Amino acid sequence: MIAIVDYGAGNISSVRKALEHLGADAQVTSDSSVISAAQKVIMPGVGHFSRCQLLNERLRAPVLDAIKGGKPFLGICVGMQWLFAGSSEAPETPGAALFAGECSRFPALVKSPHVGWNQIEVGTGSRLFRGVNSGAFVYYTHSFRAPVINETTACTNYGGPFSAAVERINAFGVQFHPEKSAETGLRILENFCAL
């Protein structure tokens, strides 16, 4: 079973429908015992980073325990940003600090939010992007971006390069919305389900 973490900031129904389309057993939950019992965990996120405060108050420990226990974890959009130390969007709200750095706003030279289809440049060796080629298009909607770090497995250039995806052992994050990214997104979700 895949637990889809509901902390009031996710695009829950689209993620659940995409997983059901792939034949995965997925359950939307805000119950720590369900997260603990799951084989995999997905944490969607849409909107302001301060929404993660509720996650930090109620579900931070079971989510981090799942990751530390080796369960595959996928953070989507704000769910990926939460994996970093934090975001300048809400400095008082801490992230999980599993990846180094802080998320920051796009520079003024580009339109923000960054909404719509854009290309990804995929690195080598990523399990999440198996069978996905560089140049594939994915769907974004965000105003803040994660820095490019050693664990970046895919980049997009918009006002400069930023992390489209990060990966370390069993912890994965994507800034775009795979559930809205057509066949490319379904392939990424299918790869996650197969981990």
Side-chain angles (χ1 to χ4, degrees):
M1 185 267 293
I2 301 173
I4 303 172
V5 180
D6 181 4
Y7 58 104
N11 186 24
I12 301 293
S13 60
S14 295
V15 173
R16 181 178 47 78
K17 286 177 185 175
L19 292 170
E20 288 173 353
H21 174 77
L22 294 170
D25 176 19
Q27 182 175 341
V28 175
T29 186
S30 57
D31 185 330
S32 60
S33 65
V34 175
I35 294 169
S36 298
Q39 283 79 47
K40 298 177 177 70
V41 179
I42 294 180
M43 195 171 83
V46 177
H48 202 277
F49 192 80
S50 62
R51 292 268 190 100
C52 293
Q53 191 55 42
L54 181 62
L55 169 75
N56 285 332
E57 291 168 4
R58 296 189 54 228
L59 298 171
R60 183 182 181 94
V63 169
L64 289 177
D65 286 347
I67 296 170
K68 290 173 186 170
K71 293 180 182 181
F73 173 91
L74 176 62
I76 298 173
C77 197
V78 173
M80 169 180 146
Q81 293 179 8
W82 180 77
L83 293 172
F84 285 78
S87 173
S88 61
E89 184 174 29
E92 70 287 352
T93 302
L98 296 180
F99 294 98
E102 182 179 85
C103 300
S104 60
R105 183 178 284 280
F106 281 107
L109 60 98
V110 293
K111 183 180 175 183
S112 181
H114 172 220
V115 177
W117 297 88
N118 207 335
Q119 290 178 289
I120 51 174
E121 179 184 328
V122 180
T124 58
S126 168
R127 292 179 293 153
L128 197 61
F129 285 84
R130 192 171 47 249
V132 177
N133 296 322
S134 281
F137 282 85
V138 293
Y139 188 83
Y140 286 100
T141 176
H142 62 127
S143 298
F144 286 73
R145 61 188 183 168
V148 175
I149 58 173
N150 288 339
E151 296 89 351
T152 296
T153 53
C155 288
T156 291
N157 198 313
Y158 185 76
F162 65 89
S163 285
V166 291
E167 179 175 331
R168 181 193 295 140
I169 310 172
N170 59 304
F172 303 84
V174 292
Q175 178 62 66
F176 55 88
H177 289 273
E179 75 280 8
K180 295 183 177 294
S181 295
E183 292 303 316
T184 296
L186 285 176
R187 178 59 187 263
I188 291 165
L189 289 174
E190 187 175 34
N191 287 343
F192 178 76
C193 290
L195 292 172

